[in-house]
Amino acid sequence: MVDSNNKTLGETLRRNGVSRRGFLKFCTATASMMALPPSMAPAIAAALDKARRPSVIWLSFQECTGCTESLTRSHSPTLENLIFNHISLDYHHTLQAASGHAAEAAKEEAMHANEGKYLVVVDGSIPLGNPGYSTTAGISNLQTLEETVAGAAAVIAVGTCAAFGGLPKADPNPTGAVSVSDIVKDKPVINVSGCPPIPVVITGVLAHYLTFGTLPDLDQYGRPKAFYGTSIHDRCYRRPFYDKGLFANTFDDEGAKRGWCLYKLGCKGPMAYNACATVKWNEGTSWPVESGHGCLGCSEPDFWDAGGFYNALSIPLGEVSRTASVAAAAGLVLGAAAAGLNYKTKSEAKKRHGRVTVEDLEKTS
Amino acid sequence: MSALDKIPIQIEASATTGPYHRNTLPLLHEIAHALRRFQAEGNSTTLDLGAIPFGPGDEQRLLDFLGTGEVSAKLDAMGDTNIWESAYAGVWIIEHKNASGERVAFQIEITKLPAILETQPEDIEESLIKLQEALENPKTGVFV
């Protein structure tokens, strides 16, 4: 439905019988959601009262739908739902009722009716290796992205796949996966990384756009500073144990039972920037560290290849150091053999995936 | 009650007898500073507890310490909001829930009276219209 309901958010809520107190409560929760100080609630109320429905086109590329799951499985009815009720989600593979030509026509209509004003949300990476790896209606992801983004106000890359290439880009990157910002250079791109991102962070970015009509401040990776401004480590409730040098050394030792720091068990909290430590998951019930497992650093570029989830950050990364440690233990010859084997495996993997064509894909299906 | 509450979990130690993560005490000092500022300058402060990295039991420790004072109120707008003054006058605790009873915001306000309790001018305007309509078209039998 394109531009069929151009009421402001304030009008929409009032029409649904929401009192001013209810609206202020909504704004308080929105301020909290956007990680803004509570004193901003009146300013948010004034801005949201006048906010109009933006058109949103959601494109899914090389992804697992986990990002959409994260958003839609959040508790309901929620603030997220209210925000989503207010945007005009004109195209979303998984959620839309229309299919085939009708769905594609809806996207075209939304793009033309809201030229220069609509938001594009992308989840999934874009394969450059072979257009046949991922298509929609026979059109490659690359072409779909370029065409859709041409008339957009901004692009929101949701999830680590869209933001940084993610799991599809993990070594040896068989599909030649790249991120949205590798392709889109002439529009603002906001990266909402995480595997998946916290739902409230996705809606927080949309709420910011709704509220202020602008995009939030971004860090060096194009992520909103409000949510990615501090490391997991700095906001972790176990941080005092790190400062005192109290660590869990195994998952069932006394330190683990007493809730000490998980750094030595591979926690990537010191290099991971995300809001999990405060926003938490599953209705604010818990988050990985509170459940006794270290942070995987899923909101960071190339987290999948960061040297092993259970290696402490102080252990050096990469093949060179692994080869060196093998060589020290078993002699240079064995080390060289291990490195050779590793290289062979990698190059075979690259060879195996590198030559796949559309015809090959059709043959195997 | 959410579906998560139905998962049976055996709790070995209560939240407040488990390890103390030392995140409550600094917050209590912040509240004390804010209360002193309010007394001296009249400036209210709102603390968003959603932004505080609480560990297991920290929130309960905070609430136990603050206790319950003379006033409590319930607001029914897009779900319940529970508001109560702590045992320390001027320190209010505000818990906003959605229609499913899930928390959407949790704050401590250091003030005379939380702003959300005051009747809003927009609601008074609406109220006046509704009252006028009700007086002009009373339900049958009301004033008999």
Side-chain angles (χ1 to χ4, degrees):
Chain A
M1 282 185 287
V2 181
D3 218 18
S4 61
N5 181 355
N6 202 28
K7 288 189 185 307
T8 65
L9 181 57
E11 286 165 347
T12 308
L13 292 174
R14 276 195 291 279
R15 195 184 51 183
N16 291 323
V18 174
S19 68
R20 186 70 185 176
R21 269 203 196 97
F23 181 63
L24 288 176
K25 175 176 166 176
F26 171 82
C27 295
T28 300
T30 303
S32 181
M33 180 173 78
M34 290 195 286
L36 291 172
S39 56
M40 286 292 287
I44 292 169
L48 272 183
D49 207 17
K50 299 187 195 95
R52 296 195 181 273
R53 289 182 109 200
S55 170
V56 174
I57 294 173
W58 187 303
L59 302 174
S60 300
F61 297 144
Q62 288 193 133
E63 46 82 38
C64 67
T65 314
C67 297
T68 298
E69 284 279 334
S70 169
L71 194 61
T72 55
R73 296 292 171 112
S74 59
H75 40 300
S76 68
T78 61
L79 207 55
E80 290 91 318
N81 287 4
L82 279 170
I83 293 285
F84 268 82
N85 284 343
H86 189 67
I87 65 168
S88 179
L89 189 57
D90 292 317
Y91 183 83
H92 188 303
H93 288 176
T94 316
L95 302 180
Q96 69 196 29
S99 62
H101 293 299
E104 298 307 310
K107 186 179 80 175
E108 292 289 325
E109 194 189 341
M111 284 164 60
H112 288 122
N114 303 289
E115 179 80 32
K117 290 183 284 184
Y118 62 88
L119 290 175
V120 176
V121 179
V122 179
D123 65 327
S125 61
I126 302 100
L128 296 185
N130 183 323
Y133 286 142
S134 182
T135 64
T136 303
I139 300 167
S140 73
N141 289 168
L142 178 63
Q143 197 182 342
T144 303
L145 180 65
E146 286 173 342
E147 284 175 5
T148 313
V149 162
V155 189
I156 303 173
V158 166
T160 300
C161 294
F164 306 128
L167 190 51
K169 195 191 164 205
D171 191 32
N173 189 6
T175 62
V178 296
S179 67
V180 171
S181 54
D182 286 329
I183 306 290
V184 179
K185 301 290 184 192
D186 57 346
K187 302 276 177 185
V189 177
I190 303 116
N191 287 328
V192 182
S193 60
C195 190
I198 301 172
V200 83
V201 177
I202 304 174
T203 40
V205 174
L206 290 170
H208 192 287
Y209 185 76
L210 263 178
T211 308
F212 302 113
T214 57
L215 299 169
D217 284 345
L218 307 175
D219 71 2
Q220 75 270 28
Y221 289 124
R223 303 177 296 194
K225 281 183 183 168
F227 301 106
Y228 299 92
T230 53
S231 73
I232 292 285
H233 187 58
D234 284 343
R235 305 290 275 176
C236 181
Y237 74 93
R238 296 194 191 214
R239 174 66 193 260
F241 294 117
Y242 174 88
D243 294 339
K244 285 183 166 183
L246 296 172
F247 298 99
N249 290 303
T250 67
F251 282 106
D252 58 354
D253 69 359
E254 195 52 30
K257 285 177 186 161
R258 297 177 77 171
W260 290 352
C261 178
L262 299 166
Y263 179 86
K264 288 187 177 177
L265 292 172
C267 182
K268 302 295 183 287
M271 50 73 81
Y273 290 76
N274 208 338
C276 304
T278 48
V279 177
K280 304 188 179 182
W281 286 85
N282 295 324
E283 303 165 27
T285 303
S286 184
W287 60 294
V289 170
E290 192 169 336
S291 304
H293 193 286
C295 165
L296 301 182
C298 73
S299 56
E300 298 306 304
D302 301 324
F303 81 101
W304 199 260
D305 295 319
F309 291 150
Y310 300 99
N311 290 342
L313 277 172
S314 50
I315 295 174
L317 312 179
E319 262 105 58
V320 174
S321 61
R322 260 207 308 274
T323 306
S325 64
V326 171
L332 279 172
V333 175
L334 191 59
L341 186 67
N342 189 28
Y343 175 78
K344 189 165 170 262
T345 312
K346 216 172 136 181
S347 81
E348 274 180 359
K350 272 189 177 160
K351 238 160 82 184
R352 204 165 48 243
H353 293 289
R355 291 186 304 193
V356 178
T357 63
V358 177
E359 286 73 27
D360 290 332
L361 289 172
E362 283 171 353
K363 258 184 252 165
T364 52
S365 61
Chain B
M1 179 182 281
S2 73
L4 285 171
D5 296 330
K6 292 173 191 158
I7 300 171
I9 298 171
Q10 186 187 347
I11 298 169
E12 293 182 350
S14 76
T16 44
T17 58
Y20 170 47
H21 298 285
R22 288 173 174 70
N23 297 314
T24 312
L25 197 58
L27 186 63
L28 286 166
H29 279 294
E30 193 175 345
I31 292 168
H33 285 302
L35 194 58
R36 196 169 295 123
R37 200 165 48 242
F38 183 64
Q39 186 200 26
E41 301 161 23
N43 294 334
S44 303
T45 302
T46 306
L47 303 172
D48 182 2
L49 297 183
I52 309 286
F54 278 149
D58 281 342
E59 181 185 310
Q60 198 53 51
R61 270 192 189 86
L62 177 74
L63 295 181
D64 288 349
F65 185 95
L66 290 176
T68 309
E70 295 169 334
V71 185
S72 67
K74 191 174 213 171
L75 174 68
D76 179 14
M78 295 171 76
D80 287 342
T81 292
N82 298 314
I83 304 168
W84 68 97
E85 194 174 28
S86 75
Y88 302 93
V91 179
W92 295 80
I93 296 147
I94 303 164
E95 183 183 36
H96 293 299
K97 293 182 173 179
N98 64 19
S100 295
E102 291 145 4
R103 184 187 285 173
V104 291
F106 193 39
Q107 297 181 325
I108 286 184
E109 211 169 313
I110 291 96
T111 185
K112 269 188 189 171
L113 185 75
I116 194 90
L117 281 175
E118 291 174 14
T119 305
Q120 300 298 312
E122 293 85 349
D123 288 342
I124 293 176
E125 197 180 320
E126 184 88 0
S127 167
L128 196 57
I129 296 166
K130 275 163 68 179
L131 183 61
Q132 199 60 42
E133 280 174 5
L135 286 172
E136 285 166 13
N137 306 292
K139 285 180 188 165
T140 317
V142 169
F143 298 118
V144 176

